[in-house]
Amino acid sequence: MAELMKTIGIWLSAYFTLSIFSFLYKDNPFYKLAEQIFVGLSAAYWLVYTIYNILIPNLFNKLFTDFAHNWILLIPMALGIMMLMRMFPKLEWLSHYPMAIMVGTTAAIAMLLAFQSDFLSQIAATMVNPFKYSSPVDIVGTILLIIGTICGIYFFYFSKKQEGFYKIPSKVGIWFLMVSFGASFGYTVMARISLLIGRLDFLLRDWLHLIR
Amino acid sequence: MKSKIPQLLAFLSGLVILVAAFIPHTPFGMFEETLTNWFMIISSFAILLGQSSLIQSNVAKITQKAPNWKYHIATLVSFGVMLIFGLLWGMENTPGILGQGEKLAESLGSKPFDYLFEYAFMPLSSTMFSLLAFYIASAAYRAFIMRTFESNLLLITAVIVMLGRTSFATILTSWIPDSLHFLRLPELTDFIMQYPNTAAQRAILISAALGVVGASLRIILGIERSYLGGEK
């Protein structure tokens, strides 16, 4: 029975794979159906995931097993239910309270994270002596790293008009940004192509058994 | 009043987190942990809200017989089936309302939820993203037309990185002598990723961090209130 279900599963996967790929020709009913099924499945997947991995262990388990010590969790639960009031226009204003707590907390966490890991740590990591390395490649690379970081930041400095001499570091900053965008692009393309190879491998190996 | 209390709540919750970062002692450390835990629980309800909104909009399209309304039935059916399977028999090692569903798992090869995940969700998801490979290629054709020095830089770097991540690059540049080994494509790719790319990413991160700090302060201090429904 398990083998039969596995075969049915492989055929189902092949059908969905080909339905999505059919969009390369043009929009068609097979693609539309697969797309909508994908939306439904992913929404349900994340809902079930949230229930089992966040709500049950952090809220319901604690409330049902040891209510005396965890009654305070009724507050976030009530706030959560108030959040759902957004669905009812007359009670929509109730959702502003949990939303405010979420926004305030997120803003503070984001601010601390951005300041610690994206600002201070990145500046500290750039303040290195390039000549401590023995390899010329590392020396040149580190010098490029320092120049690129400073010029890149200067490019994002909009408080003074960048013209004449002040345009030079900005221009160098753009070059570094272009190299980075090119690298990110190349990297993304390769990631997508490896996904494509994965799907083709599935079709040719698992479904059609053309390669072994 | 309806907007003042939420503003005060946003200010207080933000302030507690900020103060706790500088004074990690009782009661601030405890407040931070509690608030972070609450945040996680409320966010889960936000996901619930998102899914309800999805159902509402799909039901509306079906009842109003909007264009392509029949396909939205598939959304609701697939959503319902996956949700029911997950709730009844659980996912992976987590039991559902009816337990682990051993007999069903034996005949399917895995739990019904995991079966759908493996044979429907995963292929749909990876094929959908692999489809982007084709569109990226066509976008690249338009974007990479060599007009300026900057677009040349972008083009050359992208080609080096794409080639450098394949085994073909090793074959292509293996003839380069050891003294110039850094010019071999895989090593050149590593150099680009490690130095110029990091430099630009760092510049973006540092600049964006300043923006995030500014935007967060605006929210905590109540200057930015659009999250309360578009008020200025």
Side-chain angles (χ1 to χ4, degrees):
Chain A
M1 185 65 175
E3 272 305 304
L4 174 71
M5 291 314 290
K6 190 183 173 188
T7 309
I8 292 172
I10 288 172
W11 275 83
L12 192 69
S13 303
Y15 168 76
F16 284 138
T17 305
L18 293 174
S19 296
I20 298 286
F21 277 144
S22 69
F23 187 73
L24 290 170
Y25 171 61
K26 66 174 186 180
D27 199 5
N28 63 73
F30 291 104
Y31 173 78
K32 278 185 188 136
L33 183 68
E35 187 191 32
Q36 292 304 323
I37 290 173
F38 178 51
V39 172
L41 289 181
S42 55
Y45 173 78
W46 287 112
L47 183 57
V48 173
Y49 181 89
T50 309
I51 291 170
Y52 285 125
N53 292 290
I54 300 174
L55 285 177
I56 289 181
N58 294 304
L59 181 68
F60 297 122
N61 269 357
K62 287 182 180 174
L63 280 177
F64 289 128
T65 53
D66 187 8
F67 183 78
H69 287 102
N70 294 304
W71 61 266
I72 192 101
L73 288 175
L74 288 174
I75 300 175
M77 189 176 157
L79 288 167
I81 293 167
M82 281 161 78
M83 177 80 99
L84 295 178
M85 294 301 122
R86 216 172 171 79
M87 285 189 287
F88 311 103
K90 278 188 181 171
L91 297 172
E92 194 245 351
W93 61 274
L94 276 172
S95 68
H96 289 173
Y97 302 108
M99 187 70 85
I101 293 179
M102 274 185 69
V103 168
T105 314
T106 312
I109 292 172
M111 184 175 156
L112 288 171
L113 269 179
F115 205 73
Q116 280 165 356
S117 56
D118 292 348
F119 190 73
L120 295 177
S121 304
Q122 296 298 333
I123 290 176
T126 313
M127 288 180 178
V128 285
N129 175 10
F131 301 104
K132 73 175 182 183
Y133 299 105
S134 53
S135 149
V137 176
D138 286 334
I139 295 172
V140 173
T142 312
I143 292 171
L144 282 176
L145 185 75
I146 296 167
I147 295 172
T149 307
I150 295 169
C151 294
I153 293 169
Y154 185 79
F155 170 71
F156 291 112
Y157 176 70
F158 300 120
S159 299
K160 184 171 169 53
K161 197 172 182 189
Q162 293 166 350
E163 55 188 357
F165 174 76
Y166 297 104
K167 207 177 172 183
I168 299 168
S170 172
K171 197 83 181 159
V172 176
I174 294 175
W175 295 343
F176 274 91
L177 286 169
M178 284 299 162
V179 168
S180 176
F181 293 151
S184 305
F185 178 82
Y187 213 74
T188 312
V189 168
M190 291 316 287
R192 301 297 183 214
I193 293 211
S194 67
L195 273 174
L196 179 66
I197 291 169
R199 292 323 298 159
L200 293 177
D201 183 64
F202 162 76
L203 289 175
L204 298 174
R205 191 189 301 271
D206 299 342
W207 185 46
L208 296 173
H209 303 290
L210 288 177
I211 47 174
R212 292 184 189 278
Chain B
M1 199 62 178
K2 274 183 185 175
S3 75
K4 290 287 175 208
I5 296 174
Q7 276 178 51
L8 187 71
L9 280 174
F11 173 73
L12 288 176
S13 50
L15 191 71
V16 166
I17 299 278
L18 289 180
V19 170
F22 292 98
I23 316 170
H25 304 289
T26 315
F28 294 105
M30 193 188 73
F31 279 159
E32 190 203 9
E33 198 189 320
T34 309
L35 214 60
T36 314
N37 199 22
W38 286 17
F39 170 75
M40 210 159 56
I41 294 168
I42 301 170
S43 311
S44 307
F45 280 93
I47 289 176
L48 212 66
L49 177 71
Q51 317 301 45
S52 322
S53 162
L54 178 83
I55 294 171
Q56 267 184 342
S57 77
N58 276 285
V59 168
K61 276 176 190 160
I62 294 166
T63 50
Q64 290 160 13
K65 297 234 181 329
N68 294 322
W69 64 274
K70 284 171 191 162
Y71 296 104
H72 295 282
I73 298 173
T75 314
L76 292 179
V77 171
S78 57
F79 178 83
V81 169
M82 188 87 165
L83 182 66
I84 290 167
F85 282 178
L87 292 178
L88 292 184
W89 295 287
M91 63 187 290
E92 293 165 354
N93 296 323
T94 319
I97 298 166
L98 299 180
Q100 295 280 12
E102 286 91 353
K103 278 188 183 170
L104 210 55
E106 206 174 291
S107 52
L108 280 177
S110 55
K111 284 184 176 184
F113 182 86
D114 298 333
Y115 182 86
L116 270 186
F117 178 80
E118 189 183 345
Y119 293 114
F121 179 74
M122 275 303 287
L124 279 168
S125 163
S126 50
T127 314
M128 195 65 94
F129 287 108
S130 75
L131 204 63
L132 288 178
F134 295 97
Y135 292 104
I136 285 177
S138 83
Y141 174 74
R142 276 168 281 168
F144 284 0
I145 299 168
M146 291 188 283
R147 285 200 189 114
T148 59
F149 176 68
E150 284 81 11
S151 63
N152 279 350
L153 268 179
L154 201 143
L155 169 71
I156 292 163
T157 316
V159 170
I160 291 172
V161 171
M162 278 189 267
L163 274 176
R165 293 286 176 217
T166 61
S167 49
F168 180 63
T170 317
I171 303 165
L172 203 67
T173 50
S174 58
W175 57 270
I176 294 175
D178 283 345
S179 54
L180 296 171
H181 63 95
F182 58 90
L183 289 176
R184 288 176 188 152
L185 277 175
E187 290 178 51
L188 199 58
T189 302
D190 288 340
F191 181 84
I192 290 170
M193 295 308 284
Q194 196 178 344
Y195 297 111
N197 178 51
T198 308
Q201 292 299 326
R202 231 169 236 179
I204 294 170
L205 277 176
I206 293 170
S207 311
L210 289 173
V212 169
V213 170
S216 300
L217 275 177
R218 282 174 63 86
I219 290 170
I220 293 168
L221 296 174
I223 302 166
E224 172 66 50
R225 297 188 288 267
S226 54
Y227 64 92
L228 291 175
E231 288 174 66
K232 285 199 172 176

